[in-house]
Each structure stands twice: as C-alpha cells, then as structure tokens.
C-alpha cells in the first residue's frame, strides 16, 4: 500500500518544532551577529510555531489561564492558519470590527444576526483591540525584539527585559557619585506619538524586510476609532444609588486585587506613561526605544568626546576611562571640579526621561544642553528650551524616579602608617551620593489614592473600598501592599523611615475604617481591642476576650494576620549590594556565554592553553582511565603507569591474578555450602 501524503493544509503538520526553541534560536542568531542588517524576516512569519506561541500568550491574557499546545482545538488552529495566510497574502486589516479570521474565546457574539443599531454602535464607538490584532502584534514583537535588544544601548532601561527602575537607581548610585552638575530632560511627548516617516526610517536602519515594514506602517497609519461618552449618559450613571455586584463569567479573568491596583497607582512620573501608537499595541514601547536609541548613541559619542583625564585626580585618570582607580561611592573621594581635575559625564534614559551627570564647569553643561536641543529638534522635530532641560547642582537635590539625589558630607577616620611604622589616625572629609526616597512624592501618591489628606500634617483617611471585606482579608491585602512598598524603596537610604511612614498611613486608614465598620467611634478604641497591628478580631469585641488565644490555638476562630512593619526596627535596612560596572541582565549573560562556548575557536584556544601549561583536561583524563582499564583489565591511569615502570605492572598483574584465584576459591566454597544448605532444606 502507498503511504498517504501529509495534508499541507492541516495545521498540525506545520508544527514541526517548539515555538520557544524557534524564539531561542532567533535570540542566539541576533546576539551572535548584532551588527548585520536583517533582510529575510518573512520566513519567520511563515513559521506556524510562532503563531501558536503567540496564540497561547494572548489566550492567557484574555482568559487568565494558560492553554498548552496539545489542548488547542483544531478549529482554533485552522482559524490561526487562516490568519497567518491572510497576513502573508496582504489580506489582513488592522482594527477590523465585524470580519475576523479568529475570534476571542470569550467572544460569543453572532455577528451575522446583529441588528443595524448594534452594528452601528460597534463601528462608531471605542472597542477593545481585536483578538487577531493582538496575535499579529505578538508575532511581530517576538521577531523584532531579539533583533533590537542585541543592538540597543546599555544606557536605556525602560520597556526592556531584565531592566527596571531599580537598575537605574543602582547605576546612578555607582556611576554618578562624582558629578556636580545634572541635566534632567523630559522627552515624554515622543511617547505620545511620532511622525510615521520618522518611525519607519528608524526601523529600516536595521530591518529591510518589506512585509514587516508594511505591517508596522499600516498599524501606524490605520486610524483608531474612538468616541466620547455623552454628558447625559454620565449623569444617568451617577443617578443610580445601588449597583449590583457583577458576577464574572467562567472564562473571564479576575480583576487586579486592591493592593496591586493601589501599588500601580504609586508609579513615579517617569514610569507612568506607556506609549500607545495606533494599532501597534505591545509593539509601541519597542518602537519608542528604536526611535530614541539614536539619542542614546549620540550621547555615548558625546561622553567619549567630553572625557579629559587628569593624572592628578584620584579616579578616572586613565586615558581609556574604563579602568577606575578608587570607588566613587566611598567617602575617601571628594568630588571637586577645577582645571586640574578630570572632566567626565554619564547618561541614563528611562522611557522619555533622561538624566545627565557632568563633572566639570557649568559652561560645559550649558554647551551640551545647547547641542542636545539642536539634535532633538533635527531628529525628532521636538522643540525644547532651557526650562525643559534645567541645569541643577547636586546640593539642590535632583528628583528622579521619586528618589532625590543629593550629596551627604561625612567625616571618616583615615588610618595610615607613617615613617617608622607609626600608625596615624586623622579625621578626613568626604562626600557620598545619597539616593533618598522623596517623602513629598510619597505623600502626593497617597493623596492621589485617597489614603490621606493634608500636606504638612497628613491625616489618614479610611479606605471604604474594603468596607465589605473581612478583617482577615483586609489585613492580608494591606500586608501585600506594604511588602510591595518595601521592595520599591529597597535601594533608598531612608528605607526605614519611608516604609515606617507608609505603615503609619495604612494602619491609620484601616483603624478609621474599622471604627466606622464596627461602630467603635475612635481609632484609640480600635487599637485597644485589635492591638497595635490590628491582628485581633474586632467583630463583637472578641479581641478583648481572655479565651481568644486558647480558641485560636485550637483552631476554633479565624486567624487574622497583623499588619507588618508597625515599628521602625522591623523594617529591613537599605540594600547596598555592590553593582558591577559592566552589568548585564541574566538572559544576556547566558546568551553571550552560550555563543562563546558554541564557537569552535573557544574550544581550540582552551586546548592550546592546556597543552602549553602541560595540563590534562578532565575529558582526556577519563578517556585514559577507560582505555587503560580496557587494555590492562585494571583501573589504573597512565600517569601512574609511567611513574611505576614495567616491574610494577608485572607485580600488579600477578597480584591481580592471585586475587582473582582467591576470589574464585572463595566463590566455589560459598557455592558448595549454599548447595548443601539447599539439599538439607529439601
């Protein structure tokens, strides 16, 4: 019988590899050759494994549950294949409202039987991004991200894997300690949108695939339909006094819990804005970094041009500028500027916000600001002025990511050995770069979340959103919020103070809530019954019962976790872990190490180095052991054979033969005894 040929239209026959392995191969190829111009990306768009992986990601975002590849229905795979073919044949359109190649698993609407009024409402009002658009965005993101991550500057930290605001703060603490003048710039208007031609030109510097360029261009050009809610409808909504609780569907994901929603509202100004360009979706942050990468490269060239080392300086006195003598974050370094001091600057960018540190006269900072204004005007058509790029001295304090960078004077004791071996101790003067959490910004964020009111004397306000929740659930939510705040202020010098303030506000807010809920009239009454950490039950004043601890020990009452960090001594110290100068995220380290080990030149260099030093590699040593065991029937390595000589080998063979003979005699005796014992048993 003839074997049946595989059906080319069957989607299961197209999944030859795992999508994750295909993505891994793309990352390895791009990090192996980061400077090459990519021309053929359509071959990756044809890979059905990437579409299945994108479907799994978007499905998890839509429903809140991960679906394995084996559990995807065949009808969904066929629709996914139709979407891929439509993209390849230029039949796909962004922002479709009625005609879909594949629908969301939550979308149960029958679009063929809709009335004209509903169709008009769908076509003219704001609708969430279609499910198929998200899948195409995910596929393009998986293809473009490894290409540009291998090319991006190490000075940008937003919207990139393995980098976050904490990375920026640690870089500032390590590298910016010697700078006196700072330029802080806000280019966040770029994140609101750019001209399509500028985005496409930035994209085509490294990618020359027509299919990908056309898809991104159409996503930027296609208009997004939006509509505003009428004032009459708003009034109608506010008139309702009672609103029923909405019951979630079976496949509908749960909304963010209260603590996570509150923490997201605590985001600093630099991390608050997320770019949304047309129908690009998750591609928008990547495209924003692609456009702003030219600014990063320009600043890197300026850093090299500005560097002027001085041999009389304690640090940064090497011509290369890479090898630092001394550590700028330790108090023995006193940052001063002058004609005989090293001139140096550094730069970081987080999203649309930049921070430049300069060691030198203020005139150099003013010259750099003028050049930066001209560059931004030419490249991004963005008009900046001196007010949008202020030059500030370190003594005034520079706000960045809700942390204040300032200089703290310290008086360390310097001990050194003088002539004659005498140890001398002297008081010195030094400065440290202090990265301090801003209490003013913290109060501002709490006021925005309706946790307090007032500036000079902040007064906690009850969080009535948790009114119908139990005391145990409310305390658990606030503990998670406090743990998130402790992690956010991890690298702040005043971590204990700022977290203790957050704990005071949250504890006072909960005390006022419980006083209103359980009719206890005052916070003092709440603390008297529920203790300082509100860990005792307030309902029916059970916390005052002397038998409460016994009932809790026997498991007869509900356990309530008290609030964390009610005292400053319970708050952990700031994290001062040293930050390496050539830091890279873990995934980039793994990629670079894999590429280096996969290179045959690396193996050859290691072998030549081992031969030159007269060493034996572990693999060769094991192979010698195995070969000598096979040849001589004895587990002896070649090194011992060479040292011992031939006489030892003969003696060893005699010993081996005699030991084998003795073993044989012992075995025969044991066999005879066992046979006799067996006969006796029979």
């Amino acid at each position: 019988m003839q074997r049946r040929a595989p059906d080319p239209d069957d989607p299961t026959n197209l999944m030859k590899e795992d999508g994750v392995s295909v993505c891994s191969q793309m990352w390895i190829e791009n990090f192996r050759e980061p400077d090459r111009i990519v021309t053929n990306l359509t071959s990756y768009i044809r890979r059905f494994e990437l579409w299945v992986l994108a479907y799994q990601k978007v499905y998890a975002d839509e429903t809140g549950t991960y679906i394995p590849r084996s559990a995807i229905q065949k009808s969904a795979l066929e629709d996914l294949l139709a979407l891929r073919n439509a993209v390849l044949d230029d039949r796909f359109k962004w922002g479709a409202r009625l005609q879909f190649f594949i629908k969301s698993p939550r979308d149960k609407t029958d679009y063929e039987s809709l009335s004209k009024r509903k169709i008009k409402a769908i076509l003219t009002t704001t609708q969430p991004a279609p499910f198929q658009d998200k899948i195409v965005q995910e596929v393009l993101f998986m293809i473009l991200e490894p290409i540009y991550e291998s090319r991006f500057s190490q000075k940008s930290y937003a919207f990139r894997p393995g980098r976050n605001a904490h990375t920026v703060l640690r870089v500032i603490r390590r590298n910016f300690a010697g700078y006196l003048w700072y330029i802080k710039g806000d280019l966040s208007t770029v994140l609101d949108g750019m001209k399509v031609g500028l985005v496409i030109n930035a994209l085509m510097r490294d990618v020359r695939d027509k299919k990908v360029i056309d898809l991104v261009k159409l996503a930027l050009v296609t208009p997004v339909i939006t509509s505003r809610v009428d004032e009459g409808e708003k009034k109608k909504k506010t008139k309702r006094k009672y609103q029923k609780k909405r019951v979630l569907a079976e496949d509908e994901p749960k909304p963010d819990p209260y603590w996570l929603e509150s923490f997201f509202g605590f985001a600093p100004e630099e991390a608050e804005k997320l770019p949304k360009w047309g129908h690009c979706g998750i591609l928008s942050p990547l495209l924003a970094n692609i456009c702003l990468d030219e600014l990063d490269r320009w600043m890197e060239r300026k850093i090299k041009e500005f560097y002027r080392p001085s041999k009389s300086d304690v640090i940064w006195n090497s011509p290369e500028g890479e090898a630092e003598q001394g550590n700028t974050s330790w108090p023995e370094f006193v940052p001063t500027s002058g004609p005989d001091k090293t001139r140096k600057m550094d730069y970081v960018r987080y999203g649309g916000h930049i921070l430049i540190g300069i060691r030198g006269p203020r005139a150099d900072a003013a010259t750099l600001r003028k050049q930066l204004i001209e560059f931004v005007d030419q490249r991004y058509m963005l008009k900046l002025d001196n007010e949008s790029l202020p030059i500030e001295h370190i003594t005034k304090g520079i706000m960045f990511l809700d942390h204040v960078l300032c200089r703290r004077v310290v008086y360390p004791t310097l001990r050194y050995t003088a002539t004659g071996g005498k140890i001398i101790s002297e008081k010195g003067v030094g400065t440290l770069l202090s990265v301090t959490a801003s209490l003013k910004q913290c109060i501002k964020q709490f006021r925005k979340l309706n946790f307090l009111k007032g500036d000079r004397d902040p007064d906690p306000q009850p969080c009535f959103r948790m009114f119908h929740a139990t005391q145990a659930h409310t305390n658990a939510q606030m503990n998670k919020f406090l743990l998130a705040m402790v992690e956010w202020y991890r690298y702040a010098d005043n971590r204990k103070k700022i977290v203790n303030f957050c704990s005071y506000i949250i504890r006072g807010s909960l005390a006022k809530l419980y006083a209103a809920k359980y009719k206890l009239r005052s916070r003092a009454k709440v603390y008297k019954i529920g203790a300082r950490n509100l860990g005792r039950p307030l309902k029916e004043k059970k916390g005052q019962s002397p038998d409460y601890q016994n009932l809790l020990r026997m498991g007869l009452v509900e356990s309530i976790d008290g609030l964390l960090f009610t005292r400053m001594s319970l708050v952990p110290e700031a994290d001062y872990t040293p930050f390496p100068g050539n830091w890279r995220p873990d995934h980039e380290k793994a990629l670079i190490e894999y590429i280096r080990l996969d290179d045959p030149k690396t193996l050859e260099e290691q072998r030549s180095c081992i031969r030159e030093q007269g060493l034996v590699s572990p693999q060769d040593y094991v192979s010698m052991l195995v070969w000598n065991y096979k040849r001589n029937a004895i587990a002896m390595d070649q090194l011992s054979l060479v040292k011992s000589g031939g006489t030892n080998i003969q003696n060893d063979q005699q010993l081996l033969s005699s030991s084998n003979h003795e073993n044989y005699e012992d075995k025969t005796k044991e066999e005879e005894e066992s046979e006799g014992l067996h006969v006796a048993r029979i």
Side-chain angles (χ1 to χ4, degrees), residues 497-512:
K497 181 179 178 181
I498 196 75
V499 173
N500 188 57
F501 173 77
C502 296
S503 176
Y504 161 74
I505 294 297
I506 291 174
R507 192 161 52 93
S509 176
L510 286 188
K512 285 191 174 182

Side-chain angles (χ1 to χ4, degrees), residues 94 137 147 214 221 223 237 314 317 338 348 381 443 498 670:
W94 295 97
Q137 293 165 4
I147 296 173
D214 289 345
V221 171
K237 290 182 179 179
V314 290
N317 49 18
V348 292
M381 298 182 182
I443 293 173
I498 196 75
E670 291 177 357

Side-chain angles (χ1 to χ4, degrees), residues 264-290:
F264 285 159
F266 230 85
E269 179 187 358
E270 290 83 0
E272 197 171 11
K273 184 176 289 187
L274 188 68
K276 292 182 180 180
W277 295 358
H279 293 278
C280 291
I282 60 171
L283 282 174
S284 301
L286 179 63
L287 294 175
N289 273 336
I290 292 172

